[in-house]
């Protein structure tokens, strides 16, 4: 065999083992990752720090990988449930191939056995998790995505704590504001509809028409009849039925305030909000009695972000939500964020007033005029 044929044979051999991940690399930091989907792969290429993704069918994957070598990639590493592969093209074009047993799989299986009570247990085929490359098509956790699997279960546990009182067959209307690509929306729907057997009606709302069209397509593909998506601005959205739960995950800056305000205005029973990009109060912040907090840009920025969420949590308490602030680990990026979780209940008037006065005191100290305070207006008096 000449080395070109060797390369083709080795690529074929690797793909025949159905690896869950392939990484192509080349000179000058060229790098591309392929992750297994239920039928084919998702390829992700980083160019100038921007990620470009494309989906490949199983048939397209072989010529695609070969074409990458023609483009100058020199190395392919791949991991299947059984083996780790290394294929390298040396300077004179010679293909060098090696493989060894994938020991991490055994280690991960032991880890699984120790933790048995995940809401989405291994072995159950969850199509969105397969498409996200977290489950294999037969419902096993892909070893390299075990952390994501745990984070998703953690997210569902946070939901489950709150929604435990809702029984099988009951109807639950959920709006997810700023749903974006909706990874968690699909998982949430699966959990409500398949695991809890709730009659869930979930609506994702986002400004981006192309993203919403993709989400719509995926919901149809999975046959998730109770899950729909709408293009629109959170501030202008009008539901056509009651809303029981409002979710907003990483809706930027004041978009979160509109989501929270809508939840209050519609008397939603539960709120799950992970704010991000809290810039509003940073721009307004004055010295107050603590100039040390505005002396260093990054300290001011972080303090203002924390103040934003503390005020939001207190304002929700002031309008009758029992509110907690918890740590939330983001799925797509790694930073730890805050989850504001609120449930409507009969809070004592004194408790509500204290929360309001605390928020007002912080606002007065630093000249903060948060959007949520303005929107809630007389609801707090
Ligand atoms: C960072 S993404 C988060 C996506 C998803 N919720 C998640 O956690 O993976 C924020 C999304 O909020 C959407 N968004 C921001 N402001 C919005 C608004 N005023 N109305 C509707 N969507 C908004 C953006 O288009 C974007 O898709």
């Amino acid at each position: 065999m000449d080395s070109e044929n060797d390369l083709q044979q080795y690529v074929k051999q690797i793909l025949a083992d159905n690896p869950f991940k392939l990484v192509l690399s080349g000179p000058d930091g060229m790098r591309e990752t392929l992750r297994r989907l239920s039928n084919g792969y998702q390829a992700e290429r980083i160019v100038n720090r921007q990620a470009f993704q494309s989906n490949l069918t199983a048939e397209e994957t072989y010529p695609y990988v070969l074409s990458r070598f023609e483009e100058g990639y020199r190395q392919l590493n791949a991991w299947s449930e059984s083996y780790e592969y290394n294929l390298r093209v040396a300077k004179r074009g010679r293909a060098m191939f090696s493989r060894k047993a994938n020991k991490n799989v055994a280690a991960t299986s032991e880890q699984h056995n120790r933790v048995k009570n995940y809401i989405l247990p291994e072995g159950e085929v969850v199509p969105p998790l397969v498409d996200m490359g977290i489950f294999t098509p037969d419902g096993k956790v892909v070893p390299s995505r075990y952390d994501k699997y745990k984070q998703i279960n953690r997210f569902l546990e946070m939901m489950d704590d709150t929604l435990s009182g809702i029984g099988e067959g009951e109807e639950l209307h959920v709006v997810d504001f700023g749903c974006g690509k909706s990874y968690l929306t699909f998982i949430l729907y699966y959990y409500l509809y398949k695991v809890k057997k709730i009659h869930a009606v979930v609506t994702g709302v986002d400004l981006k028409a192309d993203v919403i069209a993709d989400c719509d397509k995926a919901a149809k593909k999975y046959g998730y009849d109770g899950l729909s998506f709408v293009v629109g601005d959170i501030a202008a959205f009008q539901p056509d039925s009651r809303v029981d739960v409002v979710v907003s995950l990483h809706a930027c800056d004041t978009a979160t305030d509109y989501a929270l305000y809508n939840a209050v205005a519609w008397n939603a029973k539960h709120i799950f909000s992970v704010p991000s990009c809290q810039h509003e109060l940073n721009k307004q912040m004055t010295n107050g009695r603590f100039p040390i907090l505005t002396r260093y840009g990054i300290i001011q920025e972080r303090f203002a972000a924390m103040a934003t969420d503390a005020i939001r949590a207190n304002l929700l308490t002031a309008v009758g939500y029992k509110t907690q602030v918890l740590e939330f680990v983001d799925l797509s990026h790694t930073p730890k964020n805050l989850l504001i979780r609120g449930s409507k209940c009969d809070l004592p008037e004194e408790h509500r007033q204290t929360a309001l006065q605390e928020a007002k005191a912080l606002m007065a100290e630093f000249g903060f005029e948060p959007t949520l305070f303005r929107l809630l207006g007389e609801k707090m008096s």
Side-chain angles (χ1 to χ4, degrees):
M1 269 195 295
D2 61 31
S3 37
E4 195 177 313
N5 281 342
D6 285 351
L7 180 68
Q8 292 171 1
Q9 290 310 320
Y10 292 141
V11 171
K12 260 191 204 151
Q13 181 179 343
I14 292 172
L15 290 176
D17 191 20
N18 199 19
F20 52 82
K21 182 175 165 187
L22 301 98
V23 175
L24 285 146
S25 41
D28 303 325
M30 286 166 74
R31 190 177 161 90
E32 181 160 343
T33 305
L34 275 74
R35 289 205 169 82
R36 186 170 67 196
L37 303 175
S38 51
N39 177 25
Y41 283 87
Q42 181 173 68
E44 184 176 276
R45 221 203 276 222
I46 309 288
V47 180
N48 296 334
R49 293 186 172 188
Q50 255 193 299
F52 294 90
Q53 293 168 336
S54 52
N55 284 5
L56 305 164
T57 63
E59 295 72 37
E60 286 165 344
T61 306
Y62 168 68
Y64 183 84
V65 172
L66 283 185
S67 74
R68 287 292 164 262
F69 280 100
E70 281 157 24
E71 258 196 32
Y73 284 84
R74 317 292 307 170
Q75 181 154 341
L76 171 65
N77 292 89
W79 295 263
S80 74
E81 274 73 24
S82 314
Y83 293 107
E84 282 183 55
Y85 294 91
N86 185 323
L87 173 58
R88 203 152 56 80
V89 178
K91 274 209 174 121
R92 291 202 195 119
R94 200 160 74 87
M96 293 189 293
F97 172 86
S98 66
R99 74 166 195 195
K100 59 181 183 186
N102 188 352
K103 294 207 183 92
N104 286 337
V105 175
T108 315
S109 302
E110 275 170 30
Q111 218 175 334
H112 293 185
N113 293 339
R114 282 203 297 275
V115 192
K116 290 201 179 102
N117 295 328
Y118 284 129
I119 290 184
L120 299 179
E122 203 176 355
E124 185 175 306
V125 178
V126 181
L129 281 183
V130 176
D131 282 346
M132 286 161 72
I134 291 173
F135 269 12
T136 62
D138 52 352
K140 293 210 175 71
V141 180
V142 170
S144 61
R145 311 299 303 278
Y146 202 77
D147 281 351
K148 297 270 175 269
Y149 170 67
K150 282 201 293 194
Q151 283 164 20
I152 285 171
N153 276 288
R154 179 79 193 107
F155 165 69
L156 293 180
E157 278 162 21
M158 287 174 164
M159 289 275 173
D160 199 56
D161 279 352
T162 304
L163 303 179
S164 58
I166 300 164
E168 276 188 34
E170 280 185 49
E171 208 168 295
L172 189 76
H173 293 253
V174 181
V175 176
D176 181 359
F177 282 126
C179 58
K181 289 185 183 160
S182 301
Y183 296 128
L184 283 177
T185 326
F186 282 102
I187 304 291
L188 175 62
Y189 182 79
Y190 179 91
Y191 152 76
L192 293 172
Y193 158 74
K194 280 274 187 189
V195 181
K196 283 191 70 76
K197 304 197 178 356
I198 289 172
H199 178 42
V201 182
V202 178
T203 310
V205 180
D206 203 286
L207 288 171
K208 295 180 188 150
D210 53 338
V211 175
I212 288 294
D214 288 345
C215 293
D216 251 335
K217 248 190 252 165
K220 288 201 176 76
K221 178 178 109 176
Y222 300 136
Y224 290 173
D225 296 339
L227 175 58
S228 60
F229 294 91
V230 176
V231 180
D233 190 327
I234 298 169
F237 181 76
Q238 287 301 327
D240 47 21
S241 66
R242 71 170 207 250
V243 176
D244 302 310
V245 180
V246 164
V247 176
S248 83
L249 303 174
H250 314 110
C252 320
D253 203 9
T254 55
T256 295
D257 297 300
Y258 286 93
L260 297 176
Y261 171 71
N262 285 347
V264 174
W266 302 331
N267 217 9
K269 294 188 194 89
H270 305 290
I271 299 171
F272 294 85
S273 175
V274 177
S276 79
C277 318
Q278 300 93 327
H279 299 309
E280 183 184 41
L281 300 195
N282 186 27
K283 288 185 220 133
Q284 300 170 355
M285 190 166 167
T286 55
N287 272 342
R289 277 174 296 159
F290 305 102
I292 189 171
L293 292 173
T294 49
R295 187 167 310 281
Y296 311 99
I298 181 107
I299 302 277
Q300 173 175 333
E301 195 183 306
R302 289 191 188 173
F303 176 82
M306 300 298 256
T308 307
D309 291 333
I311 292 170
R312 283 169 172 159
N314 266 38
L315 294 182
L316 289 180
T317 307
V319 293
Y321 283 82
K322 184 165 181 252
T323 307
Q324 295 167 298
V325 179
L326 307 163
E327 187 176 281
F328 184 85
V329 180
D330 190 338
L331 287 181
S332 40
H333 327 279
T334 19
K336 290 174 181 169
N337 294 311
L338 297 182
L339 165 72
I340 301 177
R341 184 168 71 173
S343 291
K344 189 87 206 239
C345 61
D346 245 342
L347 290 180
E349 181 58 25
E350 194 191 327
H351 189 64
R352 294 165 48 154
Q353 279 305 321
T354 304
L356 180 58
Q357 294 319 318
E358 283 175 3
K360 281 186 171 171
L362 185 59
M363 289 161 52
E365 184 67 44
F366 294 102
F368 293 145
E369 292 176 6
T371 294
L372 185 59
F373 184 77
R374 175 176 58 76
L375 290 171
L376 287 173
E378 79 269 7
K379 285 193 195 305
M380 290 180 306
S381 47

